[in-house]
Each structure stands twice: as C-alpha cells, then as structure tokens.
Amino acid sequence: MSPVRRRDALRLAGTALALSACGVKGRAATPDVTSFWAGKRRTGRLSWANWPGYIEDDRATLTAFEKDTGIRVAYREAIQEMGPWFGKIRAPLAAGQSIGFDLMVMTNGIQLEQCRRLGYLAPLDLSRLPNFAAHAAPGFRNPSYDPGNAFTVPYEAGITGIAYNTKYVDEEITSIAQLFAPKYRGRVGMMSDAQELGSFGLFSVGVDPETSRPSDWEKAAARLRRQRDDGIVRKYYTQDYVDAVSKGDVWLTMAWSGDVYTLTSPDVKFVVPSEGGTLWTDNLCIPRTASSPVDALTLMDWLYLPAHNAPLTEFVNYITPVSGVQEIVRRDAAQATGRERADLTRLGASPLVFPSASDMARLRRYRRLTPDEQPRYLGIFEPIARGS
C-alpha cells in the first residue's frame, strides 16, 4: 500500500475556518433511534463512499459480504479530504436530500462534529450491531467525539507520534520535549494541521488535548511559536514528511503510524511519546437521508466479526478497532509461505498496527470543539504554521 493514499491530502488548516463561517443550518442532533428506524427494511443494495486505498484492490471484502448477505455494494473512492467532502454533502443534507450514498467514512474532527451537531447522521440502532457489541476493542467504544457510539462505529484508526531516523539521531527518542531541543535546530518536522499541531503543543505543556481549555491553547501556542522562532522547525508538513525523514532532511518529525509502517527503511523508527500521542479514527456513519440504511447497518456489523475484518487489516495496515484480529493475522502468517509469510509475520507483530496496552493508554483524541470554540482554537494554532 502506498504511504500517501489515505491521508496525503489532509488540509484541515484553511478549510475549517471557511466551514465554520458558512452558516450552515440544520436540526439539532438527537438520537431518535426508534422513530428513525421504524418501518425501515433491507433493500438488497447500498452505496458506500470511502477514501482511496482503504479496501483491497480486488474488493475481496465486498465480495465476501455480498456472498454472505445478498446485499450488492456500489463502492466509490469518493472522499479525498474532509473539508471538501463536507462542503459537497452539507447542502443536500441540510435540505433533507440524498447525497447518493448510504454509508460514508469520516475522520473524527471538525467536519464529523458538524455533521453530528447539525443532525445530518442517522442515529445508530445498537441492538442491530451485536458483532460491534461483542468484538469492538475497548479503546474504540464510547469515544469522546461520539458518546455511546450514537452515530458512528470505527472503521480503521492511526496514531500521531514521532518518527526519527537513527542514522542521524544518536539517542532514543521518547518524548515530545525532544522536538523542542535546540540540538535539533533546523532538523525537526511538525504538522501544519491545526488539530494535530495544537494537540502536540498541549502535550508539550502537560495538558490533555481532550480536556484542554482556551488558556491551555494560548500556553501551548506560545511554546510552539518559540520552537518556530528559534529555528528548530525545518518545515510544517502535510504528508511530505515521509520522504523528508527517510532522506534525512529532517531527523525527527511528527508522523502517522500508518505512513511509517509502509516504509521499508530500517533506519526510521516510530514511537508514541511519553507525554502522549493522538489517536485519530476513521468512522463508518450513515447519512440521515440514506435510502438503504438497514443494509448499511448490516455491513457495519458484518465488518466487526474478526474473521471478516482480518483480510481488510492485512491490506490497509492501519489499526483495526476489532478485537481478535491479531490472532488471525498471526495464524494466517503461520500458514503462508515466502514473501506473504514474511509480510504477515511483520504485520502481526507490529505495534504500529496492534498497539500495546501501554501505548493505547497514552493516546488521546482531538479536542471536541463547540461551534463557539472552533474559530478561537483555529485562530490560535493556524497562524503558527503560516509563520504569522
């Protein structure tokens, strides 16, 4: 899998402020489960919008689902960035019209929060998700961005931590504080994304991003500005940090776990810092105007059987939210031969795909911003990467 297929176009900075200013109106989100699902039945078909490279090239998972359930799936790699995706769907959803999809994958963050608050998402009938109840890993239940999994269940996830090149760094990197060390002046990479950058700034001043307050944001931003003004940061990256840290243009950088896993260089290591790292989650959710919501819910639950999820994880190489998948990957590795055996053995043992309990305990999610907080937060952190 190419390291740039899932998140190479992430552009939260710049799009989020425009979205916050667009004045979109909508219903207040209420989990009216009974009324929404009353009378709804399977149609035998569904349309799914996802990111590029987020399912097998041969669509084996969809083929297996269709064989098991008789539900036909029209699958499109329609999502490139969250900002433009929300911009595309907000008008029809606000008008109560179809967006042409019954299922979509959205990252926890500003756009998902707007969909949730504006009532654009179908409330989930958790009684129809027995596999989720039985097999969802503890770290993916009841997330702060969607209490009680009222509107979403995780699809795949990743970690924002630190990658460093051992050819140039002669010490073990364990702390976010090392991203601020003068000895690495001009050799540090930071992310330009406001939520990612802000979260690491908050970690660096000892604050949990999820429970942070505006006074914490100002303190974190001040430290990030000092880091920038002291010349420690070589560049604020979107995705191109992967090549930079591999080649030694930067020696240590904020990084996504999935990107680092795809690197073949043994010189680049990934670590969850002692202060904490960010856990971002791509979530399955159903637009409220979906024409086949029962079929979509059926697919969501089907994916939570470990045997169904394992082939998907073996392809995408991101963190699965389904318990029991690691054991299946290891079993598949034992039965494979040649290159496939080596690849699956590496996958089954990787803490980037199957994080340890201690790593998971240090992970936090983005701050869940209210409509009033959003422009303030972005106004504090966005200027840092722009040099203003």
Side-chain angles (χ1 to χ4, degrees):
M1 177 182 173
S2 165
V4 300
R5 287 201 288 182
R6 161 57 186 87
R7 294 176 69 85
D8 63 320
L10 187 61
R11 298 288 190 277
L12 179 60
T15 60
L17 282 175
L19 290 173
S20 68
C22 69
V24 178
K25 303 294 183 182
R27 296 179 297 274
T30 55
D32 49 340
V33 176
T34 302
S35 61
F36 178 84
W37 292 99
K40 290 184 169 61
R41 301 287 185 271
R42 280 196 193 187
T43 66
R45 63 186 183 278
L46 72 92
S47 181
W48 181 6
N50 204 348
W51 298 75
Y54 234 13
I55 205 164
E56 306 96 330
D57 293 335
D58 62 1
R59 308 289 194 262
T61 289
L62 297 184
T63 299
F65 171 74
E66 290 176 342
K67 182 179 179 180
D68 284 354
T69 66
I71 298 171
R72 303 293 296 176
V73 182
Y75 183 88
R76 285 184 56 202
E77 295 179 336
I79 304 173
Q80 302 290 335
E81 303 176 39
M82 278 293 92
W85 176 250
F86 182 76
K88 179 179 180 179
I89 66 176
R90 70 178 187 265
L93 289 174
Q97 299 171 353
S98 172
I99 65 168
F101 293 100
D102 305 296
L103 187 65
M104 57 185 177
V105 177
M106 295 190 71
T107 308
N108 65 294
I110 289 172
Q111 291 80 20
L112 179 60
E113 177 67 7
Q114 287 182 317
C115 281
R116 191 189 67 80
R117 286 183 176 275
L118 293 169
Y120 294 165
L121 303 179
L124 299 184
D125 183 352
L126 296 179
S127 70
R128 304 191 194 197
L129 294 171
N131 292 329
F132 173 77
H135 301 294
F140 296 97
R141 300 173 187 265
N142 191 32
S144 59
Y145 60 85
D146 182 24
N149 295 101
F151 300 96
T152 69
V153 298
Y155 180 65
E156 296 284 338
I159 299 169
T160 306
I162 299 174
Y164 65 104
N165 193 319
T166 58
K167 288 176 62 177
Y168 305 95
V169 177
D170 59 3
E171 63 176 334
E172 185 178 3
I173 299 298
T174 60
S175 171
I176 288 174
Q178 290 166 288
L179 293 171
F180 294 80
K183 66 184 290 186
Y184 297 122
R185 182 175 285 109
R187 294 297 182 180
V188 170
M190 301 293 283
M191 290 183 173
S192 61
D193 173 76
Q195 288 192 301
E196 294 283 28
L197 183 63
S199 293
F200 263 53
L202 288 161
F203 283 132
S204 76
V205 296
V207 175
D208 182 339
E210 290 188 64
T211 58
S212 61
R213 295 292 182 262
S215 60
D216 301 318
W217 307 343
E218 296 285 2
K219 184 178 179 181
R223 187 166 195 215
L224 290 166
R225 284 193 297 271
R226 286 196 303 271
Q227 179 200 37
R228 178 198 66 192
D229 296 344
D230 288 345
I232 294 172
V233 180
R234 180 182 180 90
K235 185 178 177 181
Y236 293 90
Y237 292 96
T238 52
Q239 176 69 34
D240 44 342
Y241 69 84
V242 175
D243 288 336
V245 73
S246 298
K247 296 175 181 177
D249 294 340
V250 295
W251 296 352
L252 61 166
T253 181
M254 294 177 63
W256 289 311
S257 55
D259 286 344
V260 178
Y261 182 84
T262 62
L263 293 176
T264 57
S265 171
D267 300 320
V268 179
K269 293 186 177 181
F270 180 89
V271 62
V272 176
S274 57
E275 299 92 338
T278 306
L279 177 68
W280 52 263
T281 307
D282 287 333
N283 301 278
L284 294 161
C285 49
I286 301 173
R288 196 176 183 93
T289 55
S291 59
S292 300
V294 175
D295 304 77
L297 201 66
T298 302
L299 176 56
M300 292 166 76
D301 195 52
W302 186 91
L303 286 170
Y304 269 81
L305 273 178
H308 296 163
N309 193 274
L312 184 65
T313 299
E314 290 175 358
F315 176 79
V316 300
N317 300 160
Y318 282 97
I319 299 170
T320 175
V322 181
S323 296
V325 170
Q326 186 175 24
E327 290 77 9
I328 295 175
V329 172
R330 289 172 170 170
R331 184 190 67 201
D332 290 346
Q335 296 173 351
T337 59
R339 176 63 181 273
E340 183 183 10
R341 183 187 184 100
D343 288 346
L344 289 175
T345 299
R346 175 178 176 241
L347 181 72
S350 175
L352 304 185
V353 180
F354 301 103
S356 66
S358 60
D359 279 351
M360 286 295 290
R362 294 200 301 276
L363 300 178
R364 297 293 182 268
R365 292 187 170 92
Y366 305 135
R367 175 69 157 79
R368 181 177 163 190
L369 300 169
T370 68
D372 290 336
E373 291 173 334
Q374 179 183 319
R376 185 171 181 181
Y377 182 98
L378 294 172
I380 289 172
F381 288 111
E382 281 190 329
I384 295 170
R386 295 200 301 258
S388 56

